[in-house]
Amino acid sequence: MSLYTHVVRPVLFRMDAERVHVRTIALAQKLGASALGRRLLRRLYACDLPQLRSEVAGLRFANPVGVAAGFDKNGRAIQALAAMGFGAVEIGSVSAHRSDGNPRPRLFRLPDDEAIVVNYGVPNDGSQAVAGRVARTPISAPLGVNLVETNTGQAQHLDGVVAEMVEAARPFVGVADYLALNLNCPNTTGGASPFDDRAVLRDLMERYAAVPDLPPVFLKPTAHAEPARIEQTLEVIEPFDLVRGFIFNLPSGKSYPLRTPAPVVDAMPGTLCGPPVRQRLDAAVQAWYGRMDVDRYRIVGSGGIVSAADAYRKIRLGASLVQVYTGLVYRGPGLLRQICRGLVRLLERDGLKHIDTAVGAGL
Ligand SMILES: Cc1cc2nc3c(=O)[nH]c(=O)nc-3n(C[C@H](O)[C@H](O)[C@H](O)COP(=O)(O)O)c2cc1C
């Protein structure tokens, strides 16, 4: 039991979940803006372990553990998150136009499952505003920007969705180190998946390829392990060098074995995140790693990582990098150091000298 789980979390969990999120970001923004705050965060949470440094998509990562999209939607806390030692900071999802997201309440905790149900619907300040903000506060860790179509509450015309995704990207050229394209956001347009259509995905790739100086792109499709669907995506993106890898989105819904009683879960609209999704996301990492060109693409694994063992499993299944979100809510900011130190111990246990040698090594 840490100070966080023992003392801080019980207090936070008495407050509305979204309110805690907003206040956490505000506090992080304040701390990150001051040199003293950053020094404090570095001292409390960061660790520097040479065995964990790696290069992915031409970018240098001090360790493989990044913050997943959705935590710092508007790029307010990037200085604090970088000072805490995260290997990468992915902000967003950001859309071309600002959006208020879905009606509240839209964020729920399931403490018995260490899980969260999220139905935010990607509220954000819009790509111009967010790009301007992060451009003013450069950080040393790679900055990822997760892009999505604007949530209007209704399914949009496909051509409009593609145009919006490109429009959202433009302000981040020269600002973001990589882009993550949220292809199947479960919280917008009723979870529609326009990019499952190969023609729409090809159109998106063609229009991205025409943007000058675009940073490396990761696709974030819904996690699945279906060989035919994986092959279809790989085939469509094959001619496009801009795609450097994959992150997996959560499948829409809450159909997992849970400890929380069904009527409680049923009353929460949205998508489940945290340990119950781990197995499904692990299966996606394994399936994609087994089919993709591993010299060309890399996987960023997320979903239910709350320990070094969880991160290490994803890495051995094929992830070069990992991301955490729900684990931070339940285990606190000390999770990063715990995972990094634990990863080094696991590498040593297995006689491996560097994290790169564990990627795709199998279980
Ligand atoms: C509150 C919340 C908001 C999220 N918002 C986004 C988002 O805006 N865009 C996105 O691509 N993923 C979003 N995600 C998904 C995370 O990026 C991550 O893929 C997912 O939560 C799985 O990791 P976890 O089990 O460690 O939480 C969100 C997750 C949570 C919990």
Side-chain angles (χ1 to χ4, degrees):
M1 275 286 211
S2 66
L3 179 71
Y4 178 84
T5 52
H6 206 59
V7 180
V8 180
R9 191 177 73 186
V11 175
L12 297 181
F13 276 25
R14 265 191 238 131
M15 291 161 61
D16 169 70
E18 182 166 349
R19 207 156 147 228
V20 173
H21 186 188
V22 170
R23 287 189 174 191
T24 304
I25 294 295
L27 175 65
Q29 185 173 14
K30 241 185 207 160
L31 284 172
S34 95
L36 187 67
R38 291 196 296 276
R39 207 173 317 136
L40 180 73
L41 291 172
R42 209 167 289 126
R43 205 187 174 117
L44 284 174
Y45 302 117
C47 53
D48 181 23
L49 298 159
Q51 304 96 310
L52 300 185
R53 291 182 202 145
S54 66
E55 200 175 308
V56 172
L59 302 169
R60 292 217 175 122
F61 295 81
N63 65 68
V65 187
V67 193
F71 181 70
D72 185 11
K73 291 173 175 299
N74 292 306
R76 293 178 187 280
I78 60 172
Q79 288 178 293
L81 294 166
M84 284 170 71
F86 282 102
V89 179
E90 187 171 313
I91 63 166
S93 295
V94 181
S95 49
H97 305 284
R98 68 168 299 285
S99 163
D100 290 331
N102 292 337
R104 292 168 208 219
R106 52 195 184 174
L107 189 62
F108 311 90
R109 304 181 189 100
L110 273 60
D112 291 343
D113 293 287
E114 271 201 73
I116 288 177
V117 172
V118 54
N119 192 37
Y120 263 133
V122 289
N124 72 94
D125 296 343
S127 60
Q128 284 286 358
V130 177
R133 181 175 297 129
V134 294
R136 288 190 293 275
T137 54
I139 54 172
S140 53
L143 176 72
V145 179
N146 184 301
L147 301 173
V148 74
E149 83 260 28
T150 308
N151 181 13
T152 56
Q154 287 160 3
Q156 292 190 62
H157 191 271
L158 290 182
D159 207 46
V161 173
V162 172
E164 273 231 338
M165 292 291 277
V166 180
E167 192 187 338
R170 288 187 197 280
F172 290 105
V173 172
V175 175
D177 293 304
Y178 74 86
L179 300 175
L181 308 189
N182 190 349
L183 298 185
N184 306 102
C185 179
N187 288 172
T188 58
T189 56
S193 301
F195 299 105
D196 282 353
D197 182 320
R198 57 197 307 156
V200 180
L201 183 59
R202 187 175 302 116
D203 187 20
L204 181 75
M205 293 296 98
E206 279 167 1
R207 296 213 218 170
Y208 263 88
V211 177
D213 302 320
L214 202 69
V217 168
F218 287 79
L219 301 184
K220 192 171 180 184
T222 302
H224 67 79
E226 297 165 37
R229 280 175 75 193
I230 298 172
E231 294 294 350
Q232 174 177 306
T233 303
L234 292 174
E235 204 182 298
V236 172
I237 64 172
E238 214 280 325
F240 301 96
D241 291 341
L242 56 107
V243 180
R244 305 301 288 273
F246 309 97
I247 312 175
F248 302 111
N249 223 333
L250 300 162
S252 181
K254 298 161 289 182
S255 51
Y256 304 88
L258 298 171
R259 291 198 192 97
T260 310
V264 176
V265 182
D266 291 345
M268 300 169 173
T271 299
L272 195 108
C273 319
V277 310
R278 189 188 302 133
Q279 251 185 331
R280 200 179 288 187
L281 279 275
D282 284 358
V285 172
Q286 187 171 26
W288 284 72
Y289 188 79
R291 297 195 167 259
M292 70 187 200
D293 175 349
V294 298
D295 294 324
R296 175 171 175 181
Y297 301 115
R298 300 297 198 97
I299 290 175
V300 185
S302 76
I305 296 177
V306 298
S307 69
D310 296 335
Y312 193 57
R313 193 181 316 108
K314 279 204 175 38
I315 290 167
R316 293 202 61 126
L317 288 172
S320 295
L321 302 167
V322 296
Q323 294 181 332
V324 290
Y325 190 154
T326 306
L328 291 173
V329 175
Y330 282 91
R331 306 286 172 110
L335 180 65
L336 172 71
R337 199 180 256 181
Q338 255 175 44
I339 292 179
C340 288
R341 288 182 177 164
L343 281 175
V344 170
R345 276 196 297 274
L346 289 164
L347 289 174
E348 281 167 4
R349 180 198 69 184
D350 294 348
L352 301 174
K353 291 209 162 49
H354 193 274
I355 195 76
D356 284 349
T357 52
V359 175
L363 296 182

